[in-house]
Amino acid sequence: VVVIIVLGVSLGLTVGKKKDFKSTFIDRCETFKRSDCKNIWKTFSKAYVRRNNCTVRMEDYNKLMDAAPLEPLCNKALFWSDTKDFARSIAAKTDNKTLEKTLLGHTLDGLTWCGKEGSDETFTSGCPSWGKDDCENNPVRSFWKRASAAFADAACGDVTALLNGDSDTPFSPTSIFGSIEIKRLKYPRVKSMKVVLVSKKKPKADCSHPSLVDLQNALDAGINYSCRSNGHKFSASVIVYLLLMGHFSL
Ligand code: C8R
């Protein structure tokens, strides 16, 4: 009897866990009024299920991106690096669009997933961590790389990048913003990039920071660059307040 109970509970837990992730995926997807979320789930899970978790490349999500293509995002694409809470608050209150405001970005924001060789399941623990030391080609990292590439391809007109003025390197060439997105912004589709440096502490970096010279060098010729720094220690909510009151603009 004890064995049966233990087996029953552990089976229930395993099935429950798997169902949790899948139903979170489908519920979030359905907030976008899509009727094909089950198909999107199937296409998504094919990218990593039954795979070695260090061999899932960004190209493995190509079919997923085809299943949920992005509309052109003109004059409202908001990129960020190391400023996720700022970007999220600003995007929530304005017309600016981050990847998290698109179907796939919203659906997978904050989640961890991976597969296992010889298993049909999706796991949410024991997955490779984000850091490269584990393995670069892991399911989560490769997804964000692929989705960010699509997001940058959809951007047009004037774009904004929210960077961290509290960081030693507000523009990091190894971040997704620095290694993927910036390289895919092409003139004349994209006309300008406005960098906004935000900080919560006494800022370390302003617009004269050397890493921003690297950023300008990485930008496609023809794209107009500008930069401003809020120069103050504001929290994300204060920035949003100032933005709404018209005392601060992106
Ligand atoms: N982007 C990248 N990573 C994202 C993401 C997103 O939209 N959304 C989430 N939740 N994540 P970082 P970065 C998660 O180092 O590398 C796009 C990832 O799981 O601060 O420059 C977005 O369009 C990972 O844990 O920034 C943005 O412009 C961190 O957030 C850049 O790429 C990576 O965050 C930001 O990527």
Side-chain angles (χ1 to χ4, degrees):
V1 174
V2 172
V3 171
I4 290 173
I5 291 174
V6 169
L7 276 179
V9 169
S10 57
L11 187 71
L13 282 178
T14 334
V15 172
K17 221 178 198 173
K18 185 182 127 200
K19 197 167 174 256
D20 266 0
F21 182 82
K22 183 178 172 182
S23 53
T24 304
F25 184 102
I26 290 174
D27 289 351
R28 287 187 181 183
C29 172
E30 282 174 350
T31 62
F32 280 74
K33 309 276 173 245
R34 295 276 297 230
S35 55
D36 54 348
C37 288
K38 291 204 173 73
N39 279 334
I40 297 181
W41 161 261
K42 275 189 201 150
T43 312
F44 163 71
S45 56
K46 272 190 192 141
Y48 62 85
V49 157
R50 294 191 160 275
R51 300 276 301 270
N52 170 324
N53 280 320
C54 290
T55 62
V56 177
R57 298 155 308 140
M58 57 188 282
E59 294 76 21
D60 293 319
Y61 289 104
N62 283 352
K63 287 209 173 85
L64 174 68
M65 303 318 296
D66 294 344
L70 292 174
E71 302 278 306
L73 295 161
C74 297
N75 307 320
K76 57 184 175 188
L78 179 59
F79 298 93
W80 52 268
S81 195
D82 198 16
T83 49
K84 191 177 180 200
D85 55 343
F86 277 101
R88 174 184 288 157
S89 319
I90 289 172
K93 296 276 192 293
T94 63
D95 192 34
N96 289 286
K97 204 139 177 173
T98 54
L99 179 52
E100 283 70 30
K101 280 175 103 176
T102 69
L103 179 117
L104 292 172
H106 172 78
T107 300
L108 290 157
D109 189 18
L111 302 182
T112 301
W113 64 92
C114 61
K116 193 185 263 179
E117 283 166 291
S119 164
D120 279 334
E121 286 188 48
T122 294
F123 297 84
T124 54
S125 58
C127 300
S129 69
W130 176 258
K132 281 185 195 160
D133 26 278
D134 242 318
C135 54
E136 168 81 18
N137 294 326
N138 68 64
V140 175
R141 191 178 181 89
S142 295
F143 166 76
W144 287 112
K145 282 162 75 175
R146 184 63 190 86
S148 301
F151 183 69
D153 290 346
C156 68
D158 303 326
V159 305
T160 303
L162 215 53
L163 303 182
N164 192 344
D166 296 326
S167 158
D168 288 328
T169 47
F171 175 72
S172 155
T174 57
S175 65
I176 292 192
F177 174 65
S179 64
I180 305 232
E181 292 177 326
I182 201 161
K183 295 180 181 161
R184 298 179 81 120
L185 302 176
K186 298 289 178 203
Y187 183 80
R189 173 172 52 89
V190 174
K191 301 224 166 350
S192 76
M193 166 171 293
K194 196 187 299 174
V195 168
V196 180
L197 280 171
V198 288
S199 53
K200 290 181 184 170
K201 306 178 199 146
K202 193 171 178 295
K204 282 190 187 163
D206 60 18
C207 288
S208 63
H209 193 275
S211 76
L212 298 175
V213 177
D214 300 339
L215 183 153
Q216 292 170 66
N217 290 336
L219 270 183
D220 195 23
I223 298 182
N224 193 328
Y225 165 87
S226 64
C227 173
R228 57 192 300 248
S229 158
N230 73 350
H232 297 287
K233 29 185 198 269
F234 288 143
S235 68
S237 50
V238 173
I239 294 271
V240 170
Y241 175 77
L242 294 175
L243 202 69
L244 295 177
M245 299 305 286
H247 297 310
F248 180 78
S249 61
L250 282 184

